[in-house]
């Protein structure tokens, strides 16, 4: 059995894929053979660049603008993707926001927006792709969580709650879809070298035992591994450079 899956003929939807971890996942899936729909909300130019990189690998790609916290937008996104590229066999729920707030600065609007974008979107997107996956008795769903789901984190309690919810939803779906050929797993990165980290979440890698920040490509590598493993479901894989252990 090959270590890297052959995803030739499979079609993937990656939310929040215009940059960072999402972009790396889109490219890794293309390298494994999948055609990719690159979802974005505002960053059109960056999304087009990611799609161009996918086509340069030799796979098909499209970009789709959609707010994945809105059910109408999600339904339209999946319909658009299905007509232009094909129905999604693979879903990576990566879209998210990290509003850095202290407990005295956190507002109800901040809390609601974080839950909607980080957690509700996982439900909406999963709900939208399940009919096709069930019909073919095959599907792969990977949700991007965070080490903050189990630790204090540096963003805020609203972010902790949203990512803990992602892991709960992951287990709930996995248990209920396991008989239908659909696996659902999560990846929980900590201190990956992304715009969020560079913006001030962590100025130094000194507290990471491995001695450096993780890379988006390392997260993508784990996502592809989960998609290729038919026996693993309901699990969260942590990438923390040795800061925490399950």
């Amino acid at each position: 059995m090959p270590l890297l899956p052959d995803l030739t003929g499979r079609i993937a939807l990656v939310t929040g894929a215009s940059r960072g971890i999402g972009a790396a996942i889109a490219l890794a899936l293309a390298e494994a053979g999948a055609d990719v729909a690159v979802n974005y909300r505002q960053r059109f130019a960056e999304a087009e660049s990611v799609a161009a990189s996918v086509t340069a690998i030799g796979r098909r790609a499209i970009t789709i603008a959609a707010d994945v916290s809105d059910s109408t937008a999600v339904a339209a996104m999946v319909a658009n993707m299905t007509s232009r590229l094909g129905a999604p066999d693979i879903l990576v729920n990566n879209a998210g926001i990290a509003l850095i707030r202290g407990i005295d600065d956190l507002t109800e609007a901040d809390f609601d927006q974080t839950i909607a974008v980080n957690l509700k979107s996982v439900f909406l997107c999963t709900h939208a792709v399940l009919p096709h996956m069930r019909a073919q008795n095959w599907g792969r769903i990977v949700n991007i969580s965070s080490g903050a789901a189990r630790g204090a984190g540096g963003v805020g309690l609203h972010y902790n709650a949203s990512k803990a919810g992602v892991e709960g939803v992951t287990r709930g779906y996995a248990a209920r879809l396991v008989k239908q050929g659909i696996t659902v797993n999560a990846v929980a990165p900590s201190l990956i070298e992304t715009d969020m980290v560079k913006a001030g979440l962590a100025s130094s890698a000194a507290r990471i035992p491995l001695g450096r920040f993780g890379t988006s490509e390392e997260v993508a590598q784990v996502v592809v591994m989960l998609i290729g493993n038919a026996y693993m479901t309901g699990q969260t894989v942590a990438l923390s450079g040795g800061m925490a252990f399950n």
Side-chain angles (χ1 to χ4, degrees):
M1 179 181 294
L3 291 178
L4 292 177
D6 180 4
L7 300 179
T8 303
R10 297 298 186 186
I11 300 173
L13 168 61
V14 184
T15 68
S18 62
R19 59 176 177 160
I21 291 172
I25 292 169
L27 294 178
L29 290 172
E31 288 170 352
D35 299 323
V36 184
V38 177
N39 162 254
Y40 68 99
R41 190 170 66 90
Q42 293 179 321
R43 298 175 181 272
F44 170 76
E46 288 96 327
E48 287 291 313
S49 178
V50 173
S53 296
V54 169
T55 57
I57 293 170
R59 307 311 309 170
R60 296 184 301 150
I62 60 171
T63 60
I64 306 178
D67 176 355
V68 292
S69 69
D70 178 83
S71 59
T72 301
V74 168
M77 173 179 68
V78 173
N80 185 347
M81 174 183 177
T82 300
S83 65
R84 295 169 59 198
L85 192 67
D89 307 303
I90 297 164
L91 168 65
V92 181
N93 285 304
N94 169 75
I97 57 172
L99 306 174
I100 300 176
R101 300 285 190 273
I103 58 173
D104 297 318
D105 303 320
L106 180 64
T107 67
E108 181 179 1
D110 293 333
F111 192 95
D112 288 346
Q113 183 184 12
T114 299
I115 295 296
V117 176
N118 293 2
L119 177 56
K120 179 183 169 185
S121 66
V122 174
F123 161 70
L124 294 177
C125 292
T126 301
H127 182 75
V129 304
L130 279 182
H132 170 69
M133 291 182 179
R134 280 172 159 157
Q136 65 179 5
N137 202 43
W138 194 98
R140 297 289 182 267
I141 300 170
V142 180
N143 302 319
I144 304 303
S145 179
S146 166
R150 280 151 280 112
V155 179
L157 63 88
H158 53 308
Y159 188 77
N160 296 81
S162 70
K163 292 303 186 177
V166 166
E167 294 186 12
V169 165
T170 297
R171 292 188 293 270
Y173 273 124
R176 291 161 177 81
L177 297 172
V178 67
K179 299 290 189 183
Q180 300 174 53
I182 302 167
T183 66
V184 188
N185 291 288
V187 177
S190 295
L191 295 184
I192 304 302
E193 194 171 10
T194 61
D195 291 345
M196 181 178 75
V197 170
K198 294 174 185 176
L201 182 60
S203 59
S204 168
R207 65 190 180 97
I208 303 173
L210 199 58
R212 64 171 177 84
F213 295 118
T215 69
S216 295
E217 289 73 22
E218 286 169 326
V219 180
Q221 184 180 42
V222 176
V223 171
V224 173
M225 178 272 290
L226 289 172
I227 290 168
N229 194 309
Y231 197 65
M232 190 171 186
T233 194
Q235 305 304 308
T236 297
V237 179
L239 290 89
S240 69
M243 288 196 300
F245 300 98
N246 288 335

